[in-house]
Amino acid sequence: MFAACIPEIFDLIGTRKSYGGNYMKEPNRRHIVVCGHITYESVLHFLKDFLHEDREDVDVEVVFLHRSEPDLEFEGLLKRQHTRVKYFQGSLMNAMDLERAKVHDADACLVLANKYCPDPDAEDAANIMRVISMKNYCEESRIIIQLMQYHNKAYLLNIPSWDWKQGDDVICLAELKLGFIAQSCLAPGFSTMMANLFAMRSFITSPDMAAWQNDYLQGTGCEMYTETLSPSFSGMTFSQASELCFVKLKLLLLAIEVKPIDGGDTKISINPQSSKMPANTVGFFIAQSAEEVKRAWFYCKACHEDVKDENLIKKCKCKHLMTFRKGVRAIQLVGKTMANKTGATPATPFSAALSKPLLNIKNSVMAKEENGSKPVMNGRLVPIGPNGLVDETYGGYHISYEVKKLMPTNKPADQQKNGKMEVGIADDQAKDFDFAKTEMKYDSTGMFHWTPARSIEDCILDRNQAAMTVLNGHVVVCLFADPDSPLIGLRNLVMPLRASNFHYHELKHVVIVGAVDYLRREWKTLQNLPKISVLNGSPLSRADLRAVNVNLCDMCVILSAKVPSNDDPTLADKEAILASLNIKAMTFGDIITNIESMGDSKDALNNMGDTTVKRPGPIYGTNVPMITELVNDSNVQFLDQDDDDDPDTELYLTQPFACGTAFAVSVLDSLMSTTYFNQNALTLIRSLITGGATPELEIILAEGAGLRGGYSTPDTLSHRDRCRVGQISLSDGPLATFGEGRKYQDLFVASLRNYGMLCIGLYRLRDAALTTVDATSKRYVITNPPFDFGLLPTDQVYVLLPFERKQSRFSFSETEV
């Protein structure tokens, strides 16, 4: 009988799936589940960043869950990484497969998107369905998802258990890509600096390399880290702490975590002014490794004040400091234990931030006190106010003042306080404002400049109108798109350039050169942003480019909304490369039309505001400041005909990327790992890149009505007081003396003390032999140079500028090329 069954048993064993079975979780070891677009290339890039040696001890196992079996190349990768990587075949839509991968026990679930898909909306819809399936299976799962299109972020808010406060996050590739490019319009090369900061890279300098390559590579080794500042920093201003960190600890302190007095959510404040730092403040640093950043935690004024070598700043035996550290670490350990019991995400190995463990303690205690009678909304407990009434929420979220004032008001009597109406509340605004005399200049959150909606016809220029207008210091957007191309979300490019921490006259005019039929579909998201014009033409037409004075622009951005062809995806960048080479081949000479009076002109730019000081433009197209967005990394070799980059060179090592003239969406892959290890890092990057997007603003934009105007109140005007990215020259101005052979540390300290500016890097001429600012030379990015790095008069400095109520003492709105 048994012998007769042997062939059948062997047949069953032979047909068993190689990647079936269940994941066997090891005790005390965390794991993450990675799903979505799983291929050899996407996994290779992800693992290279996730398992990087600079991440301290990453004791996290990576579990891939995908419908198909891996190919031979993929199998080889799995075998090489078999101690840290597991692969299971299954569907995210099947609860049994989610059980096999132990999704309910996973530290996080990461959903990767296919960046080269022909239909971005369909790709986003599929990944959002995967999130719905995982949240339906386990509400507490922490999800980090990549999305292609910005407008699809709104659908995630419809998932009842989606909660960014518990670690859920979305990395929108279009939003961040265009945000990076927008910041490069303000400070050329900034996109390269930021992309290198959140990617884990190790640099190896060599005497065989050119000097500029060694300088650039040293900067690529810098990453962003968080660490709790030692008690010695308590009571200092941010400027004092940042100076101490740079001079003494050789660390660059960018921002701190600020806890509101009213006990609300913590906020990240970048280069804040004049506020004293409390104990246990969490700092955001730029450094070469996590080990270096620990100096900020170990620093003790009593023991280390006279120490000259920063490497000797280690744990001291100071009695008071040791007592403090024991207390803090105990709180963190208790927080982790309670978080694990309640299903919350444990603290990341990167961050010594106290806020999360403390929040977990608070949540755990509250969870024990709550009973089942509390009301629930969208799967979340509805908070109860001190008066016993239900607090105002939206989908379970706390709603800030900016969002409340957009809500309809059914009970005007409830809004009266001390006999007066609350300022800025929906229908009752008329009692506080004289509409005839009051003008809405900012959106309802106070974060962006705003203008009443305009028709696209009012903003369209023909070639003659554009030529009649002396455009200068503007941004030219060369856009390739078919009438039915997927929307790329141009709002994400323009909004950072309309942040309210700019004065109105500092806003750069944006001129879009492209097909109006496509722009009509994008226009509803652009109609409330000031200083935008459209030229209905072709980015390949030299006549159109001359009409918009491309040689006088501060930046020329080349984008494509066209869908890559399935036949040959490498040709996806053909239009962008042709446009880039076309502009570089142009010559201009003295062809600028001088208009004596713009008052008589009937063109659409009459209301563009104050014109900037006219400056001579470059004679050759090769000197036009330009940034080209690429779909495929390998095509970067065609942008610069005079470089010697090998076709197989990684994108970040190529000359166009180092110079800030090329950007590809692939550099955002590293953000998945960065967000998992340090959620606050993504918040910081988003704050710097988007110009001030907040969760409240996300809710407003999710409504689909675009930005709404709001009347200025002290509360909304206070939101203007935030820093922004700028670039200053050492060839003239108050800091010109530092370009004459001084060290970077001297510049850093003087800028911080005298102007509150935080220096974060340099933009240096590739040919350092030139002694004057020459528009014919390329520049490259140096991130966080060493303290003893020598400066040149031709250098330009990346700075984080504090907001100034009056006109800036520097002319930051223009940067010399």
Side-chain angles (χ1 to χ4, degrees), residues 515-533:
V516 168
D517 289 341
Y518 170 83
L519 289 168
R520 286 185 201 280
R521 296 166 54 216
E522 289 265 15
W523 190 250
K524 68 177 181 178
T525 64
L526 299 173
Q527 61 187 3
N528 293 112
L529 296 169
K531 295 190 181 182
I532 301 178
S533 298

Side-chain angles (χ1 to χ4, degrees), residues 765-805:
L765 287 170
R766 198 187 66 183
D767 184 0
L770 293 173
T771 55
T772 59
V773 177
D774 191 330
T776 62
S777 298
K778 294 177 184 175
R779 294 179 179 271
Y780 64 98
V781 176
I782 307 174
T783 307
N784 189 25
F787 72 100
D788 57 351
F789 194 78
L791 298 173
L792 299 174
T794 53
D795 287 343
Q796 291 176 1
V797 188
Y798 294 105
V799 291
L800 296 177
L801 305 163
F803 175 71
E804 293 186 347
R805 295 288 172 188

